[in-house]
Amino acid sequence: MAPRHQDQPNFLDAIFGLLFEPGSTVRSLLSAEKPPYGNTILLCFVLSVFVPIAAQVYKYGNTIFNSDAILSLSMIMLFTLLIFVLVEGIFLQLLGIHVTVRQLWSMVAYCVTPFVLALWLIYLFNYLAMGRLTLVTLFMTGSSLDHDKFIRIVPFAVLVAQLNVLVVFFHSVRYLGEMEWLTSALVTFLSLVPFYVALFVALSIGEIARHGTIALFQKVLISPLALTYFGHG
């Protein structure tokens, strides 16, 4: 059998590779004894979420600042990641797919990459369309502008990002488990269960920090038509 190790791409090559050539990029990254860039990608994701929030708070001050919203969002991100890594690790072991903690952590980080790009694009077009980041205002205050039509496209942008995440996850599982594509596709589909379990638990924890968190996520990410209710929030 040919050796699994391949030359490692640099960070930018890895980012663009995960977005546009996920198959070969995942194989190259996961072939390393210690897969690189996992923590760096997760840091980019965290900064992509909180730097725009900090910028909007700096610009608009107490009119949008909400410490409970920031705490809730932080808890959701943290617990979704930790619970999913734990449950998914157990799930893969039960399926006979043996991965190290470092490999699993890095694989999850690589899957986050499409969300980073999606956030950047959402922020860009949100600002161009509305002159400010109304998505940040919505999450911080629970209400949006009466004329804000941009928010309605967010669920579709998130859906596209999720599909790209599944593609990266599919190639990661296929490489680590040395499986055929059909088996990998089935494992990828079944892995949605641990993810949504982790997300639900994290949202429930976030709800403790800020009442209404679950309803807000449902209306923004699941039901675009429900956004009409935010007009007078």
Side-chain angles (χ1 to χ4, degrees):
M1 180 181 295
R4 291 162 66 96
H5 178 74
Q6 303 179 30
D7 292 336
Q8 299 301 310
N10 60 44
F11 179 70
L12 288 179
D13 286 339
I15 291 295
F16 286 104
L18 288 168
L19 293 172
F20 302 111
E21 296 182 351
S24 59
T25 304
V26 161
R27 289 193 298 271
S28 178
L29 293 172
L30 292 178
S31 67
E33 182 179 353
K34 296 181 178 180
Y37 310 131
N39 291 334
T40 307
I41 292 174
L42 289 174
L43 177 61
C44 287
F45 177 66
V46 171
L47 292 176
S48 297
V49 172
F50 289 105
V51 168
I53 291 177
Q56 289 293 99
V57 170
Y58 176 79
K59 183 173 182 180
Y60 296 105
N62 292 331
T63 59
I64 68 167
F65 179 73
N66 186 333
S67 60
D68 289 343
I70 295 176
L71 176 60
S72 177
L73 186 57
S74 301
M75 294 175 70
I76 290 169
M77 293 172 60
L78 175 63
F79 283 101
T80 299
L81 176 63
L82 294 181
I83 294 172
F84 176 71
V85 168
L86 175 62
V87 177
E88 182 66 16
I90 295 173
F91 175 63
L92 293 178
Q93 291 295 326
L94 291 175
L95 293 178
I97 304 173
H98 302 292
V99 298
T100 66
V101 175
R102 179 66 178 265
Q103 287 175 324
L104 180 58
W105 182 264
S106 298
M107 178 177 70
V108 172
Y110 300 154
C111 292
V112 169
T113 305
F115 275 118
V116 176
L117 176 63
L119 278 174
W120 292 350
L121 292 177
I122 288 172
Y123 291 146
L124 174 62
F125 288 107
N126 191 187
Y127 187 81
L128 292 176
M130 304 300 300
R132 61 183 295 182
L133 299 181
T134 55
L135 178 62
V136 171
T137 302
L138 173 59
F139 274 104
M140 293 293 286
T141 66
S143 61
S144 64
L145 302 175
D146 291 341
H147 61 284
D148 189 356
K149 304 301 182 183
F150 176 84
I151 296 296
R152 295 176 182 272
I153 75 168
V154 173
F156 303 105
V158 172
L159 176 61
V160 173
Q162 285 181 319
L163 294 176
N164 289 331
V165 167
L166 290 178
V167 172
V168 176
F169 190 90
F170 164 81
H171 287 292
S172 300
V173 170
R174 186 180 185 187
Y175 176 78
L176 292 175
E178 299 182 334
M179 296 179 291
E180 297 296 330
W181 72 269
L182 184 58
T183 307
S184 302
L186 180 60
V187 172
T188 299
F189 177 76
L190 292 176
S191 293
L192 289 172
V193 176
F195 172 75
Y196 283 114
V197 168
L199 180 60
F200 176 77
V201 173
L203 285 171
S204 299
I205 296 173
E207 182 77 14
I208 298 174
R210 181 197 188 190
H211 179 69
T213 295
I214 293 178
L216 178 61
F217 270 76
Q218 286 177 332
K219 290 177 180 179
V220 174
L221 301 180
I222 298 176
S223 178
L225 293 178
L227 287 171
T228 56
Y229 292 115
F230 283 113
H232 304 285

